[in-house]
């Protein structure tokens, strides 16, 4: 299924390594601040985006990002 979501991205060397669904942009920015505090070496970048994504349902019923649709 394809939906419009807010996602927190972890970017290493210009490549998206992880994307997590967030309930809102404010929660995403809060998570970004917390993640940046733990990033001691500074080579990891965090970014919040609002984008369409292809989602899949996990075995426990939660949703995860299968593929981001960046435009």
């Amino acid at each position: 299924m394809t939906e419009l979501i807010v996602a927190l991205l972890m970017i290493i060397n210009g490549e998206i390594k992880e994307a997590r669904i967030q309930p809102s942009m404010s929660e995403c920015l809060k998570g970004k601040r917390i993640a940046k505090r733990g990033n001691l070496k500074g080579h990891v970048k965090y970014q919040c985006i609002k984008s369409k994504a292809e989602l899949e349902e996990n075995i426990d019923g939660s949703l995860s990002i299968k593929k981001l649709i960046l435009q």
Side-chain angles (χ1 to χ4, degrees):
M1 85 182 81
T2 303
E3 289 188 28
L4 183 64
I5 57 144
V6 175
L8 176 58
L9 307 179
M10 179 174 73
I11 303 168
I12 300 174
N13 297 327
E15 185 178 333
I16 298 171
K17 292 293 184 178
E18 188 173 341
R20 299 252 174 171
I21 298 173
Q22 301 295 306
S24 66
M25 187 58 80
S26 63
E27 286 292 318
C28 186
L29 293 171
K30 180 181 175 183
K32 178 183 172 182
R33 282 192 303 274
I34 292 168
K36 281 177 73 174
R37 283 187 214 138
N39 181 19
L40 302 177
K41 296 184 181 181
H43 68 279
V44 179
K45 180 181 173 188
Y46 297 94
Q47 183 177 353
C48 292
I49 64 165
K50 186 178 277 190
S51 176
K52 284 187 178 181
E54 196 173 304
L55 304 177
E56 63 184 355
E57 190 171 339
N58 296 322
I59 199 163
D60 64 354
S62 64
L63 295 175
S64 64
I65 298 170
K66 184 175 183 181
K67 180 172 76 172
L68 284 172
I69 303 170
L70 303 173
Q71 298 176 354

